[in-house]
């Protein structure tokens, strides 16, 4: 991996040199009639915000080195600078939850081949710790069924287990394998081959031993040893903060619209950083762009902006906010939750559209009058982001995410440099029109 990196750098230096030598020619060759259009200010600001949120200084906005708290401070300052009013005297809503984390460098070497964290493997979010050189026992689900089970658990003591699961899409089989994998983590470090790309997440618990999900080529059926150094830190009552602020509407008594986006991401897995550009620096950038606009031109109703913490750890921030009730929920006309705003090649998806029929009709009408988005798709209720606890409380809410474009998701490749922001400006204007038109 380092070698490839060095080669790339050498190639980059070469092309930079060529570009420098020929720059005057390129300049002359450019057609003066078609100058590069100036970048849209909405897009330029979004890029800057996303770069800031994805900076290594914020550690992936997770639970190593206080990454999420640093991001909260940054956003609180931005809310203030935009002129949003604090809610209940503060830009922050504190709360706590338990979360497992991986602050230390992780070493994994299988039969002498070093694996790169985040690229060749991820650790199961519920992983415990393990350190040492382990012989590998190859175990199948059959070895853990019926009479074989007790013999197998005897054999694996002191070893690491390569848990070999047959490829299947059968939900019952998958649930059974997941249960077995969890059981194994009480006895030994577990290694499994990934069935697709490596997709990480966050857990609120830690089991005694770790799980390593590795690329299929990283382990063979005859692998003999793994050298492992992995330490988790289970954080009890992690102190998190939602960041909030609001704009007073022009007409009193017109209620409140909530615009939300979670700012937390997965953080760090040892030295591997998960930047979370699309998920959800992009949504926060959209929230800030709308906050800037509405602070200058308030609609009739109040607008309450909430950047949630702890979404990836199981909708922690939104669940807390609903229970904390900073405003009377019955005055909320609509919540618009924004998560994954970075593409849009195939338009946007509106979750809970089948429940909020009138609002969905208004949104599609706006896009018919001023066609900006490729498509606005409708989806039923789904508990897949921070709108969910609000919906469960009976508060009208929709959740919007972009469709198409890049496949990076919950991995080290969800980076600002590759985030296209295809429809960011169009979504900004469409949402702005929509929120002004909401009656
Ligand atoms: Zn997200």
């Amino acid at each position: 991996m380092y070698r490839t990196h060095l080669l790339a750098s050498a190639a980059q230096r070469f092309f930079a040199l060529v570009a420098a030598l020929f720059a005057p020619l390129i300049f002359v060759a450019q057609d003066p009639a078609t100058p590069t259009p100036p970048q849209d200010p909405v897009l330029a600001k979004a890029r800057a915000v996303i770069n800031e949120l994805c900076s290594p200084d914020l550690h992936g906005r997770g639970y190593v080195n206080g990454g999420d708290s640093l991001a909260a401070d940054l956003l609180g300052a931005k809310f203030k600078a935009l002129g949003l009013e604090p809610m209940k005297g503060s830009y922050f809503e504190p709360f706590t939850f338990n979360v497992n984390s991986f602050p230390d460098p992780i070493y994994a070497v299988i039969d002498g081949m070093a694996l790169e964290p985040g690229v060749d493997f991820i650790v199961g979010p519920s992983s415990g710790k393990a350190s040492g050189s382990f012989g590998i026992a190859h175990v199948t689900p059959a070895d853990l069924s019926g009479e074989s089970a007790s013999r197998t658990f005897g054999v694996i003591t002191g070893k690491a287990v390569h848990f070999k699961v047959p490829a299947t899409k059968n939900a019952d089989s998958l649930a059974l394998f997941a249960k077995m994998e969890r059981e194994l983590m009480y006895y030994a470090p577990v290694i499994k081959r990934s069935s697709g790309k490596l997709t990480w997440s966050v857990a609120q618990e830690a089991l005694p031993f770790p799980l390593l999900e590795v690329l299929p080529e990283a382990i063979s059926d005859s692998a003999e040893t793994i050298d492992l150094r992995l330490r988790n830190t289970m954080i009890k009552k992690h102190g998190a903060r939602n960041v909030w602020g609001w704009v007073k509407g022009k007409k009193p008594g017109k209620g409140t619209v909530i615009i939300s986006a979670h700012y937390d991401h997965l953080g760090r897995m040892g030295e591997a950083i998960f930047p979370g550009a699309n998920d959800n620096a992009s949504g926060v950038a959209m929230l800030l762009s709308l906050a800037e606009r509405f602070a200058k031109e308030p609609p009739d109703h109040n607008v309450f902006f909430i950047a949630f913490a702890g979404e990836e750890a199981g909708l922690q921030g939104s669940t807390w906010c609903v229970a904390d009730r900073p405003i009377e929920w019955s005055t909320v006309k609509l919540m618009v939750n924004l998560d994954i705003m970075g593409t849009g090649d195939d338009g946007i998806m509106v979750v809970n559209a089948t429940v909020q029929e009138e609002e969905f009709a208004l949104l599609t009408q706006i896009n018919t009058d001023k066609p900006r988005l490729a498509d606005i798709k409708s989806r039923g209720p789904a508990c897949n982001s921070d709108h969910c606890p609000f919906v469960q409380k009976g508060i009208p809410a929709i959740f919007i995410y972009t469709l198409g474009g890049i496949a990076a998701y919950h991995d080290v490749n969800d980076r600002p440099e590759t985030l296209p922001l295809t429809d960011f400006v169009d979504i900004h204007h469409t949402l702005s029109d929509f929120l002004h038109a909401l009656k």
Side-chain angles (χ1 to χ4, degrees):
M1 286 304 157
Y2 291 121
R3 197 176 157 72
T4 330
H5 179 70
L6 284 174
L7 284 172
S9 302
Q12 275 160 8
R13 279 198 299 275
F14 173 72
F15 286 118
L17 179 68
V18 171
L21 285 171
F22 290 95
L25 296 177
I26 293 164
F27 180 74
V28 171
Q30 238 176 16
D31 181 357
T34 55
T36 347
Q39 201 183 25
D40 187 294
V42 170
L43 189 61
K45 281 179 189 168
R47 282 257 173 241
V49 165
I50 292 166
N51 286 340
E52 229 177 331
L53 288 170
C54 297
S55 150
D57 296 347
L58 297 189
H59 310 287
R61 307 183 304 282
Y63 310 103
V64 173
N65 300 338
D68 65 335
S69 192
L70 294 168
D73 289 339
L74 183 80
L75 291 175
K78 286 191 188 295
F79 278 26
K80 190 175 181 190
L82 288 174
L84 302 187
E85 302 280 338
M87 176 61 69
K88 294 164 91 178
S90 175
Y91 289 104
F92 302 104
E93 182 190 31
F95 64 102
T96 62
F97 57 95
N98 299 338
V99 66
N100 197 22
S101 67
F102 303 93
D104 300 332
I106 299 167
Y107 297 97
V109 179
I110 296 178
D111 285 345
M113 187 175 74
L115 306 184
E116 189 177 345
V119 176
D120 300 321
F121 76 94
I122 50 174
V123 298
S126 308
S127 284
K129 61 180 187 295
S131 187
S133 189
F134 301 87
I136 296 175
H138 300 267
V139 170
T140 65
D143 297 326
L144 296 171
S145 308
E147 288 176 6
S148 312
S150 58
R151 192 172 56 245
T152 304
F153 282 114
V155 167
I156 64 175
T157 308
K159 293 194 168 189
V161 170
H162 172 208
F163 187 40
K164 291 167 56 180
V165 172
T168 177
K169 289 201 165 109
N170 181 288
D172 291 340
S173 304
L174 289 171
L176 176 66
F177 299 158
K179 199 170 156 237
M180 288 173 161
E181 176 187 296
R182 198 180 154 83
E183 178 80 6
L184 284 168
M185 289 170 75
Y186 282 86
Y187 290 86
V190 181
I191 310 156
K192 73 166 177 186
R193 288 191 180 115
S194 67
S195 54
K197 80 167 194 70
L198 298 170
T199 302
W200 205 37
S201 56
V202 181
Q204 290 192 267
E205 57 161 13
L207 301 182
F209 285 98
L211 166 74
L212 257 67
E213 185 179 342
V214 304
L215 291 181
E217 59 270 28
I219 187 163
S220 75
D221 287 348
S222 55
E224 288 177 358
T225 56
I226 179 167
D227 296 305
L228 198 55
R229 198 154 83 230
L230 193 166
R231 192 175 71 89
N232 70 309
T233 299
M234 181 68 205
I235 309 172
K236 297 271 185 192
K237 292 197 178 171
H238 168 73
R241 289 171 292 163
N242 293 329
V243 186
W244 61 18
W246 66 290
V247 169
K248 192 177 180 185
K250 283 188 297 190
K251 294 186 182 165
K254 283 281 180 183
T256 298
V257 170
I258 298 172
I259 298 175
S260 66
H262 75 88
Y263 69 86
D264 64 290
H265 192 57
L266 309 173
R268 295 179 72 128
M269 194 190 83
E271 280 158 334
I273 299 182
F274 291 68
N278 200 8
D279 185 10
N280 186 29
S282 66
V284 174
M286 186 67 77
L287 179 151
L288 287 168
S289 76
L290 293 169
E292 180 173 357
R293 185 142 176 183
F294 289 129
K296 285 183 200 143
E297 321 157 10
D300 290 347
H301 45 75
N302 302 324
V303 191
F304 185 15
F305 296 92
I306 317 175
F308 289 116
E311 193 264 1
E312 305 289 5
L315 313 181
Q316 299 298 322
S318 48
T319 301
W320 176 259
C321 186
V322 166
D324 190 33
R325 204 171 54 157
I327 62 170
E328 187 50 60
W329 291 137
S330 62
T331 63
V332 173
K333 294 154 76 111
L334 186 69
M335 172 199 221
V336 181
N337 182 48
L338 308 166
D339 197 347
I340 305 190
M341 290 280 113
T343 68
D345 310 54
D346 300 331
I348 58 172
M349 176 65 81
V350 182
V351 173
N352 219 32
T354 56
V355 177
Q356 305 302 140
E357 282 179 328
E358 265 179 47
E359 290 83 358
F360 183 72
L362 176 64
L363 185 60
T364 49
Q365 187 58 49
I366 284 166
N367 198 46
T368 307
D369 296 345
K370 283 186 191 169
R372 294 180 181 117
L373 309 178
D375 197 5
I376 302 184
K377 288 196 165 76
S378 155
R379 192 174 157 181
C383 196
N384 50 359
S385 188
D386 286 319
H387 62 290
C388 178
F390 287 75
V391 171
Q392 286 172 345
K393 186 78 179 171
I395 301 160
I398 55 173
F399 160 35
I400 299 176
Y401 60 90
T402 51
L403 300 166
I406 53 162
Y409 172 75
H410 280 214
D411 54 39
V412 291
N413 300 318
D414 184 7
R415 295 176 291 133
E417 308 89 81
T418 49
L419 191 67
L421 295 177
T422 322
D423 271 0
F424 192 93
V425 175
D426 284 331
I427 295 169
H428 166 87
H429 290 298
T430 303
L431 284 180
S432 180
D433 289 352
F434 172 66
L435 291 163
H436 273 293
L438 267 179
K439 287 283 169 277

